[in-house]
Amino acid sequence: MQTTPSLLAELDALPARWEVQGTLAAPVTAVAALLLAVAEGRVGDDNLLILARASAARRGAMTVVARPGLGAYRAELAGPVEPVEIQVDRARSRVAVRSWYAGMHTAEFCPAGTRVTHRVHQVIPEHPGYADGFAEIGLHARMSRDLRQVLDVIADRLGCPAVPPIRAGPSQRAAMTIRSFNPESRSTP
């Protein structure tokens, strides 16, 4: 019997604080197959794509290792940073990670094809990777850039046509929108 909740269950219980979305003109099954591809080995465009552009992954210093449990992994990094916790739910087309932030990527049907959403539920300022990851360019800009890169790789692999962007940016392959949630600004009953 599992006594600790899964990462996905933990994030399901938390409100999203920040969110970015992009759309690809491709079927959900094809997009999800690339978005959710996680296996033991080096991180790259064909393995844990959502972290493939992280500086450790670009240097070849990030490796995925399977953990006990369905869809449970960790990415080990060279150096003093703690491993990244990963959980994949292929049935619901989503993957969650926890490092200096805890967030989730999902793929779901939309009229244009597939909407990919990246939500951040929690930022962990005391994590050693926080300052480098967050302070560099700001969370919204980083999320938008990272999702755009993921969508560009998927669009290239699937050969899907460009979708006119909702929000202009350097990439014309995927439409992007940004929604921000600030729980402190919500009124409480």
Side-chain angles (χ1 to χ4, degrees):
M1 180 169 97
Q2 186 175 1
T3 56
T4 38
S6 71
L7 176 57
L8 287 162
E10 287 179 38
L11 296 181
D12 284 341
L14 295 172
R17 295 185 64 185
W18 298 276
E19 178 178 297
V20 291
Q21 298 179 348
T23 305
L24 292 167
V28 173
T29 54
V31 172
L34 295 170
L35 184 69
L36 306 178
V38 180
E40 289 194 308
R42 186 166 288 166
V43 173
D45 287 351
D46 59 348
N47 189 25
L48 193 55
L49 172 60
I50 61 173
L51 294 182
R53 299 298 181 272
S55 61
R58 290 191 319 262
R59 292 188 319 269
M62 187 183 293
T63 305
V64 175
V65 177
R67 294 180 47 216
L70 186 62
Y73 302 89
R74 75 175 180 275
E76 296 181 346
L77 294 88
V81 180
E82 296 175 17
V84 177
E85 184 180 356
I86 305 152
Q87 188 174 15
V88 180
D89 180 351
R90 286 178 176 72
R92 293 178 60 192
S93 300
R94 59 196 193 143
V95 57
V97 299
R98 179 177 12 230
S99 61
W100 61 269
Y101 75 94
M104 190 178 321
H105 282 75
T106 59
E108 58 191 0
F109 172 81
C110 71
T114 302
R115 180 188 305 69
V116 177
T117 304
H118 178 203
R119 292 180 182 94
V120 170
H121 299 267
Q122 185 177 53
V123 173
I124 306 160
E126 61 276 4
H127 189 279
Y130 172 78
D132 293 337
F134 182 70
E136 242 174 72
I137 61 173
L139 189 57
H140 279 119
R142 183 184 177 107
M143 288 174 67
S144 192
R145 179 203 67 195
D146 291 352
L147 183 60
R148 185 173 289 114
Q149 290 172 344
V150 166
L151 295 177
D152 283 348
V153 169
I154 293 172
D156 183 62
R157 293 272 174 97
L158 298 179
C160 59
V163 176
I166 294 170
R167 178 178 177 268
S171 169
Q172 300 300 306
R173 286 195 178 272
M176 297 287 297
T177 58
I178 300 176
R179 289 190 289 171
S180 174
F181 300 96
N182 184 346
E184 286 79 30
S185 67
R186 292 182 183 169
S187 59
T188 55

